[in-house]
Every structure is written in C-alpha cells, then in structure tokens.
Amino acid sequence: MKYDVFVVGGGPSGATAADDLARAGKHVALLDRAGRIKPCGGAIPPRAIADFDIPMSQIVAQITTARMISPTGRAVDIPIENGYVGMVDREDFDEFLRVRAAEAGADRLTGTFLRIERDAEGTHVVWRDKATGEERRSATKLVIGADGARSNVARAEVPGGDKIPYVIAYHEIIKAPPANDFYDPDRCDVIYDGRISSDFYGWVFPHGKHASVGMGTEINGADLKKATADLRAMSGLSDCETIRREGAPIPLRPMDRWDNGRDVVLAGDAAGVVAPSSGEGIYYAMVGGRVAATAAQAALASGKAKDLALARKLFMREHKTVFRVLRQMQDAYYKSDERRERFVSLCHDIDVQRLTFEAYMNKKLVAARPLAHVKIGIKNMLHLTGLVRPSYT
C-alpha cells in the first residue's frame, strides 16, 4: 500500500489537510497520538465557522464581549458587534475533525511518528503503532508535518525547523461557576498583568459548562501553575473543580521555509502559524492545513517538488500583513506593565475596538475607515512616547 500523502499530526491543521485531500480523491493517512489535548482558549471567529463548515454542535459558548484587564485592575469591555466569537473544547473539537477526515476517506492511524526513510522504492514514514507497540513503515509520495510547535518532522526535514521560538502555554479546564460579579459565561477576559505573565497574558475563557483559565510566557523557569493559581484567585475561581490540566509550546512566528524541496511540507504550529500578540491558533492552523493540502495536490499533479512551496506563499499572501501588525503590537506593548497599562487604555477607544474586532472576525485589516486609522496611529504614538496618561473615560 502506498499513500499519496501521509499526514503526521491530527490536530486542526493535520485533520483539515487530511480531510481536504481525501475529499479530493487522494489516498491519505492521518497519524495521531491519541489522548493529547493542546492547551487552548478555544476561540474561533465566524470566518473559521464558515470557511471550514463547523457545525453549531461544536460551539460550546458564544462570546459577545471581550474584557481587557490592565495591571492596575482597570477593565475595558469591548462589545462584539454584529456577531459572536465561537468557543470550542479542544478535546471534542479535534476528535470531531479527525472523525470527519476518516469519514471522507482518510486512513486514521494511532501511533507516534519516528522518522522518514528513503530508498530506491521511495519515501517511507516509520511510526510506532500504539496498540501493538510495533514499528510500522508506510510508503508515501509526500508527507505533511502537522505535529506541533516542537515538530519532529520539521526538526528532521526542514531548514530552521529546530529553531522555532515559542511561548509555553498552560491552562486548567475548570467547572464553570454560575454567572457572578467576577465571571460572565458570555465574556472572555484577557489579563495583561506582569504578576500573571511578564511577557504575554493570562485568560479566562468560558466553554459552556467549563472554562479555560491559563497563561503563556516565553520565560524559562516561570512557575506556570502558580501563575494560573494566582489568576484563578484573582478571578474568583479558586474553589471551582479542576477537570484537567494541559501545557504545550506555542510558536511565535511563521518559519521562513515550510518545505524541504523534496517530499515534505509543514502545516499549523509546525510551520509557526500562530498569531503574534493574541496567540490565536485554531483558525490559522486550519488555514495552514488547507494550503498544505493545496500544495500537495499541486505537487502530485505536476510531479514537481517546488510546488510544495505554494503552501507558504498562499498563507502569507493573505495573512502576512496581519501577522506583521500583531507582531509590532506585541513588541511595543508587552514589554512592561507600564506599557500594558497604556495598551488597555488604548483599547478603550471606540475606533480601536471596532477595527480590532472587524479584523478579527474577518481575518484581514479593514481599510474602509482611513480617518479612524489615522486617529489610531496618532493615539498609538502618544501612548508609546508617554505623552499622554492612560485614561479609561
């Protein structure tokens, strides 16, 4: 048996790639390690729901407000106009995507990727079967590496794959309390406070019956569990039952190259496609899976390995500017609590709120209000230069 494409990793990126390829009539394998759940706030914008045909049964909460909380405890509520942000639970959502890919025709395999071997007969993925513990060797024409931020496929096959910068994310899924003065089941809280994370942020995201409470940091040795315990105490959630705890690396920027020029292309976290500043990954992972599948189909049709580079080209063509702006915002405002205070104050501005969420919901920068862009640019410079004091009125 020889596969057209062997997908390593069954998260949103790998499952999307396998689903697209199977629906295109390709013989595809989807290899995943059972039981791993990635720490994730679980937010997906309306565009993801539409582009990837996500059923409402997977949406465990509909968020209508985002609350930004500053180091001094000041809060800015940002209403989400004309829509909502959908929340998913990764334990159920990822499995739904894998099942959908299998129903489309992908061969679902459970085990651990070991290595890629090549000989006169072609390319082979060597993996360990979880059920038997035996090594298996699967022949394939192409490989898609969608195995996370510390991708073994990327490390072994793609230049720069061993040097991806990342933050460590940790969260606890808790039993959600009834709505109260601290917790709103229709609101996401984003906490910019150096006591929780000195270089990223903390969050409280409702998941219907549950909630995700966590934080991220790039600092080695940070006590993630203590920071999350402090966040729970700060948010009135200390006494809530803990359902599970999860931690994992989240990449900070897209890799400069996503393929090896031969038979491997990367997707999702393995390619570094998590949005700077926000850490949003589900939508971009699924887009990464889709463009990897598109590139694989092009390479299979042409017989030219250079077509694998199409994955990165397609992704960056649409999302490069958004990623650059978000990176600039993170570099400018996440350096200190004084800067975070100014950032939350800036978020009080109605133009910032509207443009931010229009961009988030539609996944592109909004050019329809040039005057608003000018005003925001001026306010941004005033805050960064310290010429104005943070204001919440």
Side-chain angles (χ1 to χ4, degrees), residues 41 78 110-111 151 202 285-286 290 346:
I78 305 177
T110 303
S151 165
M286 297 180 79
R290 176 150 291 171
L346 185 63

Side-chain angles (χ1 to χ4, degrees), residues 99-116:
V99 169
R100 184 165 72 174
E103 290 175 346
D107 286 352
R108 185 173 174 183
L109 309 174
T110 303
T112 305
F113 169 82
L114 298 176
R115 61 189 178 276
I116 295 174

Side-chain angles (χ1 to χ4, degrees), residues 294-315:
T294 299
Q297 290 183 66
L300 289 170
S302 69
K304 298 178 180 178
K306 68 177 184 179
D307 285 340
L308 294 176
L310 184 63
R312 190 179 190 279
K313 290 178 182 178
L314 290 173
F315 185 94

Side-chain angles (χ1 to χ4, degrees), residues 250-264:
I250 295 178
L252 289 174
R253 67 174 183 84
M255 288 177 58
D256 294 333
R257 183 171 177 176
W258 294 7
D259 69 282
N260 68 349
R262 183 175 184 179
D263 53 8
V264 173

Side-chain angles (χ1 to χ4, degrees), residues 105-345:
D107 286 352
R108 185 173 174 183
L109 309 174
T110 303
T112 305
F113 169 82
L114 298 176
R115 61 189 178 276
I116 295 174
E117 296 180 346
R118 300 175 180 88
D119 56 25
E121 296 180 356
T123 301
H124 305 266
V125 175
V126 182
W127 54 284
R128 188 177 304 282
D129 189 302
K130 182 175 181 178
T132 66
E134 298 176 353
E135 282 195 14
R136 300 193 180 277
R137 196 167 184 261
S138 299
T140 186
K141 297 175 183 176
L142 299 173
V143 178
I144 292 178
D147 51 334
R150 290 174 175 165
S151 165
N152 289 321
V153 176
R155 287 170 180 266
E157 296 290 335
V158 179
D162 59 341
K163 298 180 177 66
I164 302 175
Y166 55 83
V167 299
I168 296 295
Y170 172 82
H171 80 161
E172 297 176 357
I173 296 293
I174 64 172
K175 185 175 180 180
N180 55 53
D181 290 343
F182 295 98
Y183 181 80
D184 183 338
D186 298 322
R187 186 189 71 214
C188 281
D189 291 353
V190 183
I191 299 91
Y192 296 98
D193 189 331
R195 293 170 296 176
I196 304 302
S197 173
S198 61
D199 60 334
F200 210 56
Y201 64 82
W203 68 82
V204 177
F205 285 3
H207 284 192
K209 296 183 298 182
H210 300 151
S212 165
V213 185
M215 51 78 69
T217 181
E218 196 176 351
I219 298 174
N220 290 328
D223 192 334
L224 310 182
K225 292 184 178 180
K226 181 181 184 303
T228 302
D230 291 344
L231 175 55
R232 287 179 63 167
M234 181 188 301
S235 305
L237 301 171
S238 294
D239 296 332
C240 295
E241 179 185 351
T242 302
I243 307 299
R244 65 179 191 263
R245 299 177 174 88
E246 296 144 4
I250 295 178
L252 289 174
R253 67 174 183 84
M255 288 177 58
D256 294 333
R257 183 171 177 176
W258 294 7
D259 69 282
N260 68 349
R262 183 175 184 179
D263 53 8
V264 173
V265 63
L266 304 178
D269 282 12
V273 291
V274 172
S277 179
S278 69
E280 182 193 357
I282 296 177
Y283 169 76
Y284 292 113
M286 297 180 79
V287 172
R290 176 150 291 171
V291 296
T294 299
Q297 290 183 66
L300 289 170
S302 69
K304 298 178 180 178
K306 68 177 184 179
D307 285 340
L308 294 176
L310 184 63
R312 190 179 190 279
K313 290 178 182 178
L314 290 173
F315 185 94
M316 299 305 285
R317 180 183 300 167
E318 182 168 5
H319 301 292
K320 180 179 180 179
T321 300
V322 170
F323 272 50
R324 185 182 71 246
V325 170
L326 291 175
R327 166 54 58 191
Q328 291 171 345
M329 186 173 75
Q330 180 174 334
D331 290 344
Y333 284 109
Y334 286 20
K335 293 180 177 180
S336 67
D337 273 358
E338 190 273 336
R339 287 286 184 93
R340 293 186 191 93
E341 194 74 38
R342 292 181 178 278
F343 173 65
V344 176
S345 174

Side-chain angles (χ1 to χ4, degrees), residues 33-66:
R33 295 183 299 167
R36 179 183 179 276
I37 308 169
K38 180 182 175 182
C40 176
I44 59 172
R47 182 171 174 183
I49 296 172
D51 286 2
F52 299 100
D53 194 23
I54 306 302
M56 290 306 296
S57 60
Q58 288 298 314
I59 307 302
V60 296
Q62 297 182 20
I63 301 303
T64 56
T65 303

